[in-house]
Amino acid sequence: MIDLAKAAAERGIRYFLISFTDLFGAQRAKLVPAAAIGEMVRNGAGFAGFATWLDMTPADPDLFARPDPASLIQLPWKPEVGWLAADLWMEGAPVAQAPRNVLKALIGKAADAGFQLKSGVECEFFLISPDGEAISDAFDRQAKPCYDEQALMRRYDVISEICDGMLGLGWGPYQNDHEDANGQFEMNWTYDDALVTADRHAFFKFMAKSVAEKHGFRATFMPKPFTTLTGNGCHTHVSAWKDGVNLFADEAGEMGLSPMAYLFIGGLMHSADALAALFNPTVNSYKRINAPRTTSGATWSPNTVTYTGNNRTHMIRIPEAGRFELRLADGAANPYLLQAGVLAAGLDGLANARDPGKRLDINMYEDGHLAGPVKTLPLNLLDALRALEASEVLSVSLGPFVPAYLKLKHQEWNAYAGHLTAWERETTLDC
């Protein structure tokens, strides 16, 4: 285990950010001087759980965030600070509803089943004005702006600084681009163990927002910040490994995938509507996965529970042998719950031999009506929450997290439902 006090002295770290991600994906932290890090490792930094998005009350005991030394990341833009992902404890026991603890428990179940989940995420985000009203680049106006060289280079200072940070951290970033919407970007780094990817995903969002602010902009991962533009997805590439061997790879298998991979896909398809409550966790999320055509000509997001080969109009795509891409999650997905949901559904697919059915190779945006009776995704957050509530698979595998999450998310839905919008007044005043 890394000696954090020694690392601080060697690397010039003056402070540590002890960070955890709550149920809604918000990152919480305490700034701890390096001189106190030893005590924090032993006992954890103290928090009041009710003050964050956790199912707790002011009467609950102290919540302690115990940093994981293996997760140490020195802030590229402020190297005197070290970031640490933390696990939540209360009264000497891990907090069962805490997202990182949920993921670690499922990683343990995967190990018992004889494999390690490896994954990579494609994080899409917009660079916008500080007030959130418009994209940051007034010249970014193309109808099809994806891969636009000029727009990409106008934001070179922001994108290159983030990429340089990942290079210095050893993440193996390999490409950055302007995405399908005006003002939207995507940055890719190499896949890894599910927990490592989740920690890096959480840190990446923090880093992108911090660097954007440094340059006078704002980075948003909001699923659908602009009505007519493509939303922010978080596509997830999935494979299973044992002793350095990719268990999803099979040269003789259809599309180069093993029977195990297809059962894993079957598990994800079986629980897709319930998983939407985790992967598409906001009211706004359903303006992305059930959106009309955008100004670029396509939403690039799924609305049916189908899988295919190298075709981006389905929920699951098989781009090449040995892995598949899950296109359901959006930018609001909690990094730890995203990986936990994939594992929970995949383990169920393996345990219960879930058959994904026949692969569909049609364009679901144009010819979806020819697919026959296929399962559809929830139309709104409430439908997704009800699907999660009814899911025995996720209730069992995710444990006490599920009722805690449902309680808080139902409160959020009720707050939204009680909000009077300008659209309602415009369309109903003269009813």
Side-chain angles (χ1 to χ4, degrees):
M1 186 173 70
I2 296 173
D3 183 327
L4 291 177
K6 183 178 179 182
E10 291 175 348
R11 303 186 196 181
I13 297 173
R14 297 180 57 228
Y15 288 91
F16 289 93
L17 271 176
I18 298 179
S19 174
F20 72 89
T21 304
D22 67 20
L23 297 188
F24 284 12
Q27 294 185 60
R28 314 289 182 164
K30 283 200 171 180
L31 188 64
V32 172
I37 194 61
E39 180 183 348
M40 296 298 122
V41 171
R42 289 189 297 273
N43 301 316
F47 292 82
F50 179 71
T52 72
W53 290 117
L54 293 167
D55 182 22
M56 295 181 181
T57 76
D60 280 310
D62 286 342
L63 182 72
F64 290 97
R66 295 184 182 177
D68 180 352
S71 70
L72 174 62
I73 297 173
Q74 203 164 349
L75 304 193
W77 66 97
K78 194 177 289 292
E80 65 186 37
V81 179
W83 181 91
L84 292 160
D87 297 320
L88 296 184
W89 288 67
M90 182 180 282
E91 296 188 313
V95 176
Q97 64 175 277
R100 197 171 192 265
N101 291 343
V102 172
L103 174 56
K104 289 175 73 173
L106 282 159
I107 288 172
K109 290 181 181 179
D112 292 340
F115 72 93
Q116 172 194 20
L117 183 74
K118 290 191 177 184
S119 61
V121 291
E122 299 177 0
C123 291
E124 296 174 345
F125 62 95
F126 283 82
L127 288 176
I128 59 175
S129 58
D131 63 6
E133 294 297 318
I135 64 171
S136 68
D137 183 358
F139 296 104
D140 189 351
R141 298 176 179 174
Q142 287 194 34
K144 281 187 176 290
C146 202
Y147 315 124
D148 180 20
E149 188 171 71
Q150 291 293 133
L152 176 62
M153 290 308 292
R154 281 196 295 270
R155 291 293 169 262
Y156 172 83
D157 289 347
V158 178
I159 301 302
S160 64
E161 183 171 344
I162 297 170
C163 189
D164 285 345
M166 291 191 286
L167 285 165
L169 295 170
W171 291 13
Y174 54 91
Q175 61 183 14
N176 313 293
D177 66 64
H178 187 294
E179 270 297 307
D180 190 65
N182 305 107
Q184 187 184 45
F185 300 86
E186 178 181 300
M187 307 185 72
N188 305 129
W189 67 90
T190 306
Y191 71 96
D192 211 310
D193 174 79
L195 183 61
V196 172
T197 291
D199 284 341
R200 289 177 177 175
H201 184 182
F203 183 82
F204 177 83
K205 294 180 75 171
F206 170 50
M207 176 164 61
K209 292 175 183 178
S210 298
V211 173
E213 288 175 5
K214 175 182 171 183
H215 289 269
F217 306 126
R218 185 174 181 178
T220 180
F221 295 83
M222 183 179 177
K224 187 77 167 175
F226 302 103
T227 305
T228 60
L229 301 181
T230 306
N232 284 322
C234 187
H235 305 151
T236 308
H237 293 260
V238 181
S239 55
W241 295 72
K242 183 176 183 179
D243 299 329
V245 176
N246 184 352
L247 302 179
F248 279 7
D250 185 350
E251 291 183 5
E254 184 180 3
M255 297 293 296
L257 290 189
S258 67
M260 177 186 182
Y262 282 101
L263 295 180
F264 213 96
I265 289 172
L268 285 163
M269 293 177 67
H270 176 77
S271 295
D273 53 350
L275 288 170
L278 308 181
F279 297 171
N280 311 107
T282 71
V283 168
N284 179 256
S285 295
Y286 298 85
K287 292 178 170 60
R288 169 186 166 267
I289 61 172
N290 292 301
R293 182 176 295 184
T294 66
T295 55
S296 72
T299 66
W300 301 101
S301 59
N303 51 34
T304 55
V305 183
T306 53
Y307 81 101
T308 186
N310 201 350
N311 175 338
R312 289 178 168 86
T313 65
H314 295 252
M315 188 184 82
I316 293 176
R317 174 175 82 106
I318 304 169
E320 63 180 14
R323 64 183 169 98
F324 64 81
E325 176 190 47
L326 175 65
R327 298 176 61 80
L328 178 58
D330 63 43
N334 184 310
Y336 300 97
L337 299 180
L338 172 55
Q339 303 299 326
V342 169
L343 260 176
L347 283 165
D348 169 68
L350 299 178
N352 293 289
R354 304 286 187 194
D355 183 359
K358 184 180 178 182
R359 189 181 84 234
L360 290 176
D361 293 323
I362 62 175
N363 180 341
M364 288 300 291
Y365 296 162
E366 302 291 339
D367 302 316
H369 61 285
L370 302 176
V374 295
K375 191 175 178 181
T376 58
L377 291 168
L379 292 175
N380 54 55
L381 179 61
L382 181 60
D383 287 347
L385 294 175
R386 287 171 173 167
L388 176 59
E389 201 163 15
S391 172
E392 183 178 352
V393 170
L394 297 186
S395 292
V396 171
S397 60
L398 301 179
F401 156 79
V402 172
Y405 185 78
L406 285 170
K407 175 183 173 181
L408 295 180
K409 277 294 175 180
H410 274 297
Q411 290 175 1
E412 182 181 273
W413 173 264
N414 291 338
Y416 163 73
H419 180 69
L420 183 64
T421 66
W423 181 90
E424 291 173 90
R425 294 185 63 81
E426 290 171 5
T427 58
T428 316
L429 276 175
D430 294 322
C431 64

